[in-house]
Amino acid sequence: MQRVFKIAENIYKIKLTYGLKPKPLKCAKPTECFDAVLSSFELDDLLALQEAVSKEIGATMLEGSDVNKITFFAAVHAMIEPYRVDFVNSFSTQNWQKSRCPFCGSKAGLGNIKDTGVRKLICHFCWTEWEYPRTKCFDCGEEILNYSLFEVSGRDVRVDFCESCKSYLKTVIFEHSEEPYVLWDLKTLSLDDWAASKGYKKPTPSLVGIDFTK
Amino acid sequence: MGGITRRDFLKITGLAAVGASTLGLKKDAMAFEPKLKFEKAKETLSVCCYCAVGCGLIIHTLDGKVINVEGNPNSPINRGSLCSKGSSLKQLINNEDRVKKPLYRAKGASEWKEISWEQAFAEIAKRVKATRDKYFQYKNKKGEVVNRVEAIASVGSAALDNEECYLYQKFLRSLGLVYIEHQARI
């Protein structure tokens, strides 16, 4: 139980603390971008980051490939964070209304309905939030949305699903202030099993970069 | 450390790691047991039936029955909010006391009686005609032609759209009404 909390908390902490300061990016093709991101950092910075990530997550939690995957995910997070913060501060997502993340172009990994009724999608990769119409499918854009309502440790969590593309998205119905979304994504892993047993698929892995449904 | 390249960094951090054994982590998460409240509800967009503002609604239905009505936060008209009348829309839908047929209480009678729509239309038309014929003014005191009826007033109707209002207005003017008002003036 504690491990779930710890992993989520640590990724969140690393994301906030270890944001490096890279040089400006120059890459012509999307395939070059990742190399460009890496080469824009000092190697010592990267190694320091890797050490920090391993210390925070790796040693205490898991074995083998799990550590590597989560470490890698956290490292990439820390690298893109400065760009992402710049972007989020200068871009209003109110009129974005698309099913892809306005920053990195990935699909949503979790939904959130605010007290005002506004629905936000959360990018499964970079955790950027953006506004999205309430009754639209988060993947194919179908106008009718079905949902089942659950209570998970005292909170309402919905599983939204679309009958035309057979995909689903977990949606938490409360404000972000108390606990990070990544924690709730992990706390509700049993809902992923439930949705899979009903024949629905999630187009994205969980918010820590691992697909638990496999 | 000096011998490590950026490629090696990728290797160390496990870019190549596929097929993670995540059973342990998943077992932890299963401790949070979800309680199913209800299954397969549906969200549908709609528009409030009351006034001409036309606030957007989201109707939640479960097995064909309405379980919740809320304002649509994406509607540019109301941005998720509803007035007190609109917020009570669920009671309009699931309400045994709602009047669904015209009721008539005859002069001196103490009970309401159900009548058909045809009877109701005929009764209304009869009374409008009688009142109009009785109080129609061709000329005012100064002798100017006015062609008006001051004994009937119209108050409504907020639920009409622009074109319906146009027709309604034409109809009232043709009767000679001058007291034409709207009930949704706030």
Side-chain angles (χ1 to χ4, degrees):
Chain A
M1 168 95 62
Q2 286 308 311
R3 295 199 307 178
V4 178
F5 281 103
K6 267 228 119 91
I7 288 174
E9 268 167 24
N10 282 334
I11 292 188
Y12 196 62
K13 208 161 80 188
I14 287 164
K15 187 180 170 67
L16 299 181
T17 322
Y18 293 93
L20 302 174
K21 291 190 180 61
K23 298 163 204 155
L25 266 187
K26 277 176 196 164
C27 51
K29 292 179 206 156
T31 45
E32 289 167 10
C33 277
F34 196 81
D35 282 346
V37 169
L38 281 184
S39 57
S40 67
F41 292 98
E42 294 299 325
L43 189 60
D44 284 351
D45 280 351
L46 283 180
L47 290 170
L49 172 71
Q50 198 256 327
E51 209 184 305
V53 170
S54 309
K55 210 175 115 200
E56 295 281 3
I57 298 175
T60 46
M61 311 301 160
L62 302 157
E63 306 144 10
S65 50
D66 276 359
V67 185
N68 291 339
K69 259 198 145 176
I70 295 178
T71 306
F72 176 67
F73 185 78
V76 175
H77 252 229
M79 284 178 206
I80 61 171
E81 191 61 10
Y83 295 109
R84 203 188 70 86
V85 169
D86 268 4
F87 173 80
V88 169
N89 289 340
S90 60
F91 182 81
S92 161
T93 63
Q94 199 182 354
N95 298 320
W96 178 246
Q97 310 274 332
K98 293 186 173 77
S99 63
R100 296 281 185 159
C101 169
F103 175 66
C104 72
S106 305
K107 288 181 179 178
L110 196 71
N112 175 227
I113 292 175
K114 305 271 172 200
D115 288 348
T116 52
V118 172
R119 179 198 198 193
K120 289 200 166 178
L121 300 184
I122 297 132
C123 173
H124 85 272
F125 179 68
C126 70
W127 304 353
T128 301
E129 284 177 56
W130 71 97
E131 274 190 36
Y132 194 68
R134 275 285 295 275
T135 55
K136 245 185 169 181
C137 171
F138 41 85
D139 197 16
C140 70
E142 172 72 50
E143 290 283 355
I144 297 170
L145 197 71
N146 296 293
Y147 70 90
S148 295
L149 186 69
F150 292 87
E151 195 188 305
V152 181
S153 60
R155 298 291 195 162
D156 284 346
V157 181
R158 270 168 40 164
V159 178
D160 294 354
F161 48 93
C162 172
E163 286 298 349
S164 59
C165 69
K166 291 279 172 194
S167 54
Y168 76 91
L169 186 77
K170 292 182 290 190
T171 299
V172 292
I173 317 183
F174 48 83
E175 292 286 338
H176 180 41
S177 52
E178 298 149 56
E179 286 167 340
Y181 295 125
V182 59
L183 187 64
W184 279 93
D185 191 38
L186 295 178
K187 268 187 177 185
T188 54
L189 281 183
S190 39
L191 296 185
D192 289 302
D193 277 4
W194 180 86
S197 73
K198 299 275 171 186
Y200 297 99
K201 277 180 190 164
K202 195 161 84 163
T204 56
S206 72
L207 294 193
V208 292
I210 294 176
D211 188 355
F212 289 99
T213 54
K214 277 177 188 166
Chain B
M1 269 202 181
I4 299 171
T5 63
R6 290 191 171 83
R7 274 290 150 205
D8 288 337
F9 170 76
L10 287 185
K11 274 184 204 154
I12 294 165
T13 51
L15 182 69
V18 193
S21 61
T22 49
L23 286 171
L25 186 59
K26 202 168 172 181
K27 217 174 118 196
D28 285 346
M30 289 301 173
F32 300 97
E33 212 174 288
K35 266 183 258 161
L36 179 66
K37 285 189 166 175
F38 52 77
E39 210 173 310
K40 225 176 177 187
K42 197 165 112 184
E43 277 189 359
T44 322
L45 293 182
S46 187
V47 177
C48 179
C49 64
Y50 282 128
C51 84
V53 171
C55 292
L57 302 173
I58 295 176
I59 315 269
H60 298 244
T61 46
L62 184 64
D63 300 326
K65 267 203 115 181
V66 174
I67 52 168
N68 188 26
V69 179
E70 63 177 314
N72 177 8
N74 306 113
S75 163
I77 293 168
N78 58 325
R79 288 258 173 241
S81 54
L82 287 176
C83 72
S84 46
K85 216 174 156 188
S87 317
S88 69
L89 266 172
K90 197 182 142 197
Q91 294 169 24
L92 175 79
I93 303 152
N94 304 321
N95 195 340
E96 287 173 12
D97 295 332
R98 186 179 165 191
V99 179
K100 289 170 183 165
K101 280 181 182 165
L103 295 174
Y104 178 66
R105 188 169 63 83
K107 227 177 199 175
S110 60
E111 295 293 311
W112 289 93
K113 198 175 78 186
E114 253 185 33
I115 57 168
S116 70
W117 281 105
E118 282 71 26
Q119 278 173 291
F121 288 147
E123 192 64 33
I124 293 165
K126 208 165 77 192
R127 286 171 191 222
V128 169
K129 172 89 169 68
T131 312
R132 183 177 179 267
D133 287 351
K134 191 173 171 190
Y135 295 100
F136 189 81
Q137 299 174 9
Y138 174 55
K139 281 182 179 174
N140 66 5
K141 281 176 191 163
K142 289 183 195 168
E144 294 158 351
V145 177
V146 286
N147 281 331
R148 69 187 176 199
V149 181
E150 286 179 329
I152 309 176
S154 167
V155 182
S157 170
L160 298 186
D161 63 32
N162 203 34
E163 289 72 22
E164 286 166 339
C165 279
Y166 177 81
L167 285 175
Y168 187 54
Q169 182 81 221
K170 277 250 165 189
F171 165 67
L172 297 175
R173 298 283 180 205
S174 72
L175 291 178
L177 260 67
V178 284
Y179 298 130
I180 299 172
E181 192 42 285
H182 192 278
Q183 90 271 31
R185 272 177 187 262
I186 301 169

